[in-house]
Amino acid sequence: MYSIDIDGANTPFPCAENDTVLRAGLRAGLGLPYECNVGSCGNCKFELLDGTVDNLWPQAPGLSDKDRQKNRWLGCQSRARSDLRIKLRTSEHYRAIHSPTVTAAVLTRHTALTHDISEFVFDCERTMAFSSGQYALIQLPGVQGPRAYSMSQKGGASTTMEFQVRRVPEGVGSDVLFGLKTGERVHIDGPYGMAYLREDAERDILLVGGGSGLAPMLSLARGALSTPQLGSRQVHFLYGARQQRDLCGQDLLAQLPEWSKRGHYTAVLSNHPEGEALPEGCQSGFVHDALLARHGPHLSNFEIYFAGPPLMAQAMIKVLVSHKVPMTQVHFDQFY
Ligand SMILES: Cc1cc2nc3c(=O)[nH]c(=O)nc-3n(C[C@H](O)[C@H](O)[C@H](O)COP(=O)(O)OP(=O)(O)OC[C@H]3O[C@@H](n4cnc5c(N)ncnc54)[C@H](O)[C@@H]3O)c2cc1C
Ligand code: FES
């Protein structure tokens, strides 16, 4: 066990030998900045003032050559090799609402939802408490570094964890996950993420998912429709997919007891063949354009959550900023 001292903060925290600087800080209840947890966003950078660390992924895209020259490291890819003194700015925004824990888990079910998205259900040795919309890190056998996957069930404390994952062509992690047999073992570390359900928000809810961004939006819909404080809120769900064969989620939402009273689903297809009739209830285009067309003048009236690939997230942010939606009511995860 090592001790990590944040310069000027006077709150040294312990870091187990197999943990990362970021996750040890979050487990200790400190608000260390982060987003993806997998080396891509760069939000977890710190400056190393004293001590030695191992870099778990030296080529991680979240760190530039300039960062390396300035002795900056990624908290999510750094393992302490001595006591450390580091420089970064903590923030209440990042403080964990549920302390992240690691548990062994076995795969109990793998069900195909579309041609390339499947639901995976794991039975965990330890209970994990999380909020709707959060994600966990799955360490898969033989894969270097964990992969981030959002839970698709509603938040709570559970030993069963459900995920919906898209098989990425030539993706190392998703390939192994899709090849796992029931009874095989992984390690799950979580929960993480700030795009969780705000149970005290006094606005209707807009959920926008693109591709594999389905899981956290489904979790949020399930949470919102079963949270008594949100009992009068409408839930608008926009799902962006490429083609008809990529569509999913509507049947799962329709199973929720409150859905018929308060739920609204719109599917948007970005790559629908020209001239072909659209499936019922679908429109063509990009999901951020559909959002604009449907809710443009009223976007500030919603609590807005979204998840999906970085291009979709950037388009969403542009739309929301141009409509002056306060960022305090916008919550999102980019899927790097
Ligand atoms: C917050 C968050 C939530 C997500 N939720 C979902 C979800 O619910 N469903 C879903 O389908 N996808 C989700 N993703 C995307 C998912 O984590 C993977 O990026 C995707 O499945 C592709 O992984 P892969 O291993 O198949 O592809 P690869 O291209 O092999 O790997 C890409 C991912 O692995 C990381 N990585 C690659 N090499 C290394 C290494 N050597 N060491 C450490 N990390 C490495 C990268 O940062 C990147 O995240 C989420 C991503 C994030 C950041
Ligand atoms: S949180 Fe470390 S790079 Fe994204």
Side-chain angles (χ1 to χ4, degrees), residues 203-206 236 295 298-304 329:
R203 283 174 277 270
D204 285 345
I205 295 168
L206 243 175
H236 299 263
H295 300 290
H298 317 291
L299 281 172
S300 293
N301 297 342
F302 291 98
E303 200 71 19
I304 301 174
Q329 61 197 63

Side-chain angles (χ1 to χ4, degrees), residues 10 23 86 95-97 109 125 132 149 168 179 202 207 219 257 265 300 335:
N10 228 355
R23 300 198 271 277
I86 64 174
R95 194 195 287 269
I97 48 167
R109 209 171 66 228
E125 270 175 17
S132 304
Y149 293 115
V168 173
E202 294 176 350
L207 305 174
S219 169
Y265 178 88
S300 293
F335 282 11

Side-chain angles (χ1 to χ4, degrees), residues 35-40 56-57 59 61 77 117 135-136 140 143-151 163-175 212-216 333-336:
E35 185 185 347
C36 72
N37 233 316
V38 288
S40 293
L56 298 176
W57 188 19
Q59 304 80 23
Q77 304 298 327
I117 296 182
Y135 70 90
L140 294 152
V143 176
Q144 207 187 342
R147 297 298 187 262
Y149 293 115
S150 308
M151 281 69 85
F163 303 92
Q164 291 167 349
V165 178
R166 190 172 85 84
R167 186 172 202 156
V168 173
E170 294 173 42
V172 177
S174 55
D175 245 13
S212 50
L214 176 73
D333 277 324
Q334 302 188 58
F335 282 11
Y336 295 94

Side-chain angles (χ1 to χ4, degrees), residues 48-87:
L48 184 61
L49 301 177
D50 205 8
T52 315
V53 296
D54 275 349
N55 191 343
L56 298 176
W57 188 19
Q59 304 80 23
L63 209 59
S64 66
D65 288 342
K66 195 167 161 206
D67 289 325
R68 289 184 187 93
Q69 283 160 16
K70 295 197 160 180
N71 207 17
R72 290 188 190 131
W73 299 72
L74 293 176
C76 68
Q77 304 298 327
S78 299
R79 192 166 277 172
R81 279 292 154 256
S82 69
D83 289 346
L84 305 178
R85 198 159 61 83
I86 64 174
K87 189 171 170 186

